[in-house]
Amino acid sequence: MSNYRNHAIGGLIFALPFAPGIFYLFFALLGASIPDMDHDNNINKVGTMLIWGVILSVFLFFVDGLNISALLLVGLAIIFYISKHRGFTHTILGITILSYVFLLMIMGFIPVFMRLSLNLGISIPTVVYIFVIMAIIGYFIISRRYYILYLAVLLVYLYLFPIDYLSINWLSVFLMFFLGALSHIILDLFTPSGVSFLQPFNDSKFHSNIAWILIILWLLASVYTLCNYGSFINNFTPIFT
C-alpha cells in the first residue's frame, strides 16, 4: 500500500505538466489525499469536518444567509463516513464528483468571508482568505505529520507571490484536484488488492496492467500539452527575475 508521502509526490508529478502555475500544485497535493478520506484512520478527521461544517452552516445562516459551501463541507463528511474504503472515493466517478464539490466549496467560501470582513469594516487582502481556506481544507485531509510543512510552504509561496481571487483559473483548480486524486488511484492499482475504479459501471477489480496503460496515456497527454502550450518550467521564471 502506498503511503501518504508517495501519494503526495505522485499527485504533484501527475499534475505538473498541466498546471498553469506553481500555485495550482497545492490543489493537486490536496487532491492526492482525497481518496483515502474514507479510511478508518481518518474517522476523527471526518468527524471534525462534520462538526465544523454544521457550526459554519448555522453561523453563516444567521449572519449571511443559507451558505452552500458550509453545507458542502457537511456533505463531504457524510460521503467519507458512509463510503467503504477503496469504494466510491477510489472511482473515476467518485473523484470527479469530489473534485467538483471541493472546487465549489472553495469558490463559495472566499467571497462569503470577503463580504463578512467588509460588513465589519475590515479590509483584508484576498490572498489571506485563500490561505485560510486552503489551510482549513489541508487540516481536514492532509496527514498530520506533514500538515505544518504544507502550511509553511503555502504561506511562504503566497507571501512571495500573492494570488488574487479574481485571477484564479477555476477550471485548472478542478483539474489539479482530479489529477491528484487520479494519481492516488493509479498508485493503488499496483497493490495486490487492486481497485474497482470503474464502479458503478463495472465492478471488476483492476491491477498494475491497467495502471501502466493509464500512465502511458498520461505521458502522451503530457507530451502533447507541453509541445502545444509550452514547458511548465516557464512558470518558474518570476523566481529568477
Side-chain angles (χ1 to χ4, degrees), residues 209-229:
N209 54 337
I210 300 298
W212 284 115
I213 293 175
L214 293 175
I215 290 174
I216 291 173
L217 291 175
W218 169 78
L219 284 171
L220 293 175
S222 299
V223 171
Y224 175 83
T225 300
L226 295 177
C227 288
N228 286 275
Y229 302 103

Side-chain angles (χ1 to χ4, degrees), residues 183-198:
S183 71
H184 186 116
I185 292 176
I186 290 175
L187 287 178
D188 280 353
L189 284 169
F190 285 101
T191 61
S193 57
V195 182
S196 302
F197 71 96
L198 292 182

Side-chain angles (χ1 to χ4, degrees), residues 4 8 15 18 28 35 38 72 75 85 92 99 102 121 125 131 137 155 171 177-178 187 190 194 212 214 226-227 239:
Y4 174 82
F18 308 95
D38 63 356
L72 289 176
H85 184 50
I92 298 298
S99 297
F102 271 99
F131 172 77
I137 294 176
L155 180 62
L171 179 60
F177 269 121
F178 179 81
L187 287 178
F190 285 101
W212 284 115
L214 293 175
L226 295 177
C227 288
I239 295 179

Side-chain angles (χ1 to χ4, degrees), residues 72-174:
L72 289 176
L73 188 59
V74 174
L76 284 169
I78 293 174
I79 290 174
F80 293 140
Y81 182 78
I82 65 176
S83 177
K84 184 178 67 174
H85 184 50
R86 290 204 178 181
F88 176 74
T89 65
H90 282 68
T91 65
I92 298 298
L93 177 63
I95 63 173
T96 300
I97 293 174
L98 291 172
S99 297
Y100 188 61
V101 171
F102 271 99
L103 170 68
L104 292 179
M105 187 171 62
I106 295 173
M107 291 179 68
F109 267 136
I110 295 176
V112 166
F113 292 147
M114 290 171 62
R115 286 199 304 272
L116 291 178
S117 65
L118 290 175
N119 291 337
L120 294 172
I122 304 173
S123 179
I124 301 176
T126 57
V127 67
V128 175
Y129 300 112
I130 294 172
F131 172 77
V132 171
I133 296 301
M134 294 181 68
I136 292 173
I137 294 176
Y139 175 78
F140 290 135
I141 65 178
I142 285 183
S143 170
R144 292 287 185 265
R145 182 178 180 183
Y146 297 98
Y147 179 64
I148 299 301
L149 177 61
Y150 162 79
L151 273 188
V153 175
L154 177 63
L155 180 62
V156 170
Y157 180 83
L158 291 178
Y159 176 77
L160 295 175
F161 309 103
I163 300 292
D164 183 75
Y165 171 74
L166 297 177
S167 68
I168 297 176
N169 184 328
W170 294 108
L171 179 60
S172 294
V173 171
F174 168 79

Side-chain angles (χ1 to χ4, degrees), residues 34-51:
I34 291 175
D36 271 352
M37 284 302 295
D38 63 356
H39 197 284
D40 290 341
N41 292 339
N42 291 321
I43 189 67
N44 290 334
K45 288 184 179 181
V46 173
T48 304
M49 182 185 295
L50 178 62
I51 292 171

